[in-house]
Amino acid sequence: MKNIIFLGPPGSGKGTIATELSPKLKIKHISTGDLLREVVASGSDLGLEIKSYMDKGDLVPDELVGKMIKEVLVSKEAEKGILLDGFPRTVNQAEMLNTIMAVVKKKIDAVFYLKVDLPVIIKRLSNRVTCKICGKPYHLINLPPKKPGICDRCGGELVRRDDDREETVSKRYETYIAKTEQLINYYKNKNLLIEIDGNQEKEITVKMVLSHIKS
Ligand code: AMP
C-alpha cells in the first residue's frame, strides 16, 4: 500500500499518525491544513482569504484546495506514495482526487477511518500545540515536548492553532459531520475503507495501521 488516505474528524489523529508513518514508510505526508497555513503565513491576499474560512471553521472552497493538491500530487515528491491527511473532505474533492490519480496513473490503495468519540476529540484539541516551523503536533498532557514550548524534531516554537479555540472546534466538527462524514460510505462502497479505533494512544493506533499496510 503506497497511496493512503486518513479520514476522520478534527482531532482524530490524522496528522499525528501520518507524521509518524511518513518516515517509516518513506512516503510523503501531505496535509492540506499545513499547506493552507503556509499560504496564510505568507500574508498574501490569497492567504487572507483562506484565513477567513479557516478561522470560522469552514472549509476552504474546493477549487482552491484542488489546485493546491494537484500541484503536490503530480510532483516528484509524490512518486513513491502519499499519505493524505485532511484531503479529501467532500465528495467533490474525492472525485477531483480520482481524476488527478488517473492522470498520474496511480490509485488509492486504502482509506483509514480513525473513529474517535467526541469527548476524546475535545480533550485532545484543547491541549494541542503545533510546531510553527515543521507542523509536528503535540499534546500537552499525553504527548508533551521534551522541552516546554520547543519542538523535539526541529527546535521550532510550539503554538496553539487559531482554529483550536473552543467555539471554532465545535464548528469544525459540525462541518465534518455535514460534509466529510459522507466519505465514509463513499469509500466503503469502493471497498477501500479500513476502520480503526482512534480513541487509543498514538503508539497503538500506529501499530494497528501498520499491521494493515503490511498485510
Ligand atoms: P486541518 O489542519 O486538517 O484540521 O485543517 C484546518 C482547516 O483548514 C480546516 O478547518 C479547513 O478550514 C481547512 N482545510 C484543510 N483541508 C481542507 C480541505 N481538504 N478542504 C477544505 N478546507 C480544508
Side-chain angles (χ1 to χ4, degrees):
M1 288 185 193
K2 287 286 177 198
N3 298 301
I4 293 164
I5 295 174
F6 288 103
L7 194 63
S12 58
K14 303 184 295 291
T16 305
I17 305 300
T19 304
E20 283 287 311
L21 288 179
S22 168
K24 282 194 171 76
L25 301 170
K26 298 191 176 60
I27 53 181
K28 173 119 182 107
H29 171 195
I30 303 170
S31 153
T32 40
D34 286 350
L35 292 172
L36 290 165
R37 279 184 286 277
E38 270 173 34
V39 185
V40 170
S42 75
S44 63
D45 285 348
L46 179 63
L48 284 176
E49 189 192 339
I50 289 174
K51 186 171 166 34
S52 70
Y53 293 104
M54 291 174 83
D55 282 354
K56 279 186 277 177
D58 284 335
L59 292 185
V60 174
D62 287 349
E63 303 73 45
L64 271 176
V65 181
K67 231 189 246 170
M68 209 177 63
I69 198 92
K70 187 172 173 196
E71 254 175 50
V72 189
L73 290 179
V74 301
S75 74
K76 215 171 157 46
E77 290 176 304
E79 258 172 23
K80 288 193 189 132
I82 44 165
L83 295 173
L84 283 175
D85 150 21
F87 184 90
R89 258 178 159 97
T90 60
V91 171
N92 186 36
Q93 288 185 7
E95 304 284 2
M96 284 162 108
L97 177 62
N98 291 342
T99 310
I100 302 169
M101 294 300 270
V103 170
V104 291
K105 297 194 171 56
K106 285 186 194 144
K107 61 173 185 51
I108 294 297
D109 300 305
V111 178
F112 287 98
Y113 164 42
L114 303 177
K115 199 172 176 203
V116 184
D117 301 332
L118 188 55
V120 177
I121 289 174
I122 292 170
K123 222 170 165 184
R124 277 186 189 165
L125 293 183
S126 56
N127 284 293
R128 176 159 81 175
V129 287
T130 315
C131 175
K132 221 172 162 178
I133 296 175
C134 75
K136 184 174 161 67
Y138 294 84
H139 186 279
L140 292 175
I141 298 159
N142 300 338
L143 194 69
K146 291 193 184 102
K147 281 189 205 155
I150 301 199
C151 178
D152 297 348
R153 184 159 71 184
C154 76
E157 184 192 351
L158 300 182
V159 290
R160 273 204 79 181
R161 273 172 46 174
D162 285 345
D163 60 352
D164 277 348
R165 276 171 286 123
E166 213 175 302
E167 60 287 8
T168 318
V169 166
S170 43
K171 180 65 204 302
R172 282 163 61 205
Y173 190 74
E174 280 167 29
T175 305
Y176 167 79
I177 299 290
K179 305 209 167 134
T180 311
E181 211 184 34
Q182 7 182 332
L183 289 178
I184 296 168
N185 272 332
Y186 178 89
Y187 286 117
K188 206 183 256 173
N189 291 336
K190 290 184 182 292
N191 275 329
L192 287 173
L193 200 82
I194 301 171
E195 192 174 306
I196 300 281
D197 178 4
N199 290 297
Q200 319 161 80
E201 284 176 18
K202 177 184 82 171
E203 287 73 17
I204 300 175
T205 312
V206 166
K207 258 193 201 154
M208 285 177 59
V209 172
L210 268 177
S211 72
H212 282 282
I213 291 177
K214 290 186 172 159
S215 67

